[in-house]
């Protein structure tokens, strides 16, 4: 199973996730999307939000299958995780 970790609200990574990945006009639409999907039983639970890029790295390290969208410049220890750059972002 893949566990998506969402970036903190009102950050550049969350804005990029909403606009470029989900093609939504605002990040609030991401929450609505997941609430609807959970209600329709397409997902068991909505993705967890993290408070910082370093918290995301910690979650990814301890939870197999976890992935996070973060600004790589905010990650202090890049040696613990595999970092993938999304083309054009």
């Amino acid at each position: 199973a893949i566990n998506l970790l969402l970036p903190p609200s009102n950050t550049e990574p969350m804005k990029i996730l909403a606009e470029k990945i989900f093609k939504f006009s605002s990040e609030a639409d991401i929450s609505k999307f997941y609430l609807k999907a959970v209600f329709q039983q397409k997902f068991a639970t909505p993705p967890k939000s993290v408070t910082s890029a370093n918290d995301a790295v910690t979650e990814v390290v301890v939870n197999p299958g976890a992935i996070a969208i973060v600004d790589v410049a905010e990650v202090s220890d890049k040696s613990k995780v595999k970092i993938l750059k999304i083309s054009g972002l």
Side-chain angles (χ1 to χ4, degrees), residues 26-85:
S26 76
E27 65 181 69
D29 293 332
I30 294 174
S31 296
K32 292 176 190 174
F33 168 81
Y34 279 109
L35 287 174
K36 183 178 177 181
V38 169
F39 181 76
Q40 294 174 340
Q41 298 180 341
K42 293 179 180 178
F43 296 101
T45 58
K48 180 179 176 181
S49 292
V50 293
T51 57
S52 71
N54 289 317
D55 286 347
V57 169
T58 300
E59 287 285 330
V60 168
V61 168
V62 299
N63 294 309
I67 60 171
I69 291 100
V70 298
D71 182 346
V72 71
E74 295 177 13
V75 177
S76 60
D77 186 358
K78 297 174 180 70
S79 68
K80 294 182 179 181
V81 293
K82 172 81 173 167
I83 297 174
L84 303 173
K85 180 174 174 26

Side-chain angles (χ1 to χ4, degrees), residues 9-40:
S9 296
N10 300 316
T11 61
E12 192 63 22
M14 184 57 125
K15 180 181 176 186
I16 290 170
L17 179 68
E19 293 175 0
K20 303 236 181 196
I21 306 298
F22 281 96
K23 306 292 187 201
F24 291 146
S25 59
S26 76
E27 65 181 69
D29 293 332
I30 294 174
S31 296
K32 292 176 190 174
F33 168 81
Y34 279 109
L35 287 174
K36 183 178 177 181
V38 169
F39 181 76
Q40 294 174 340

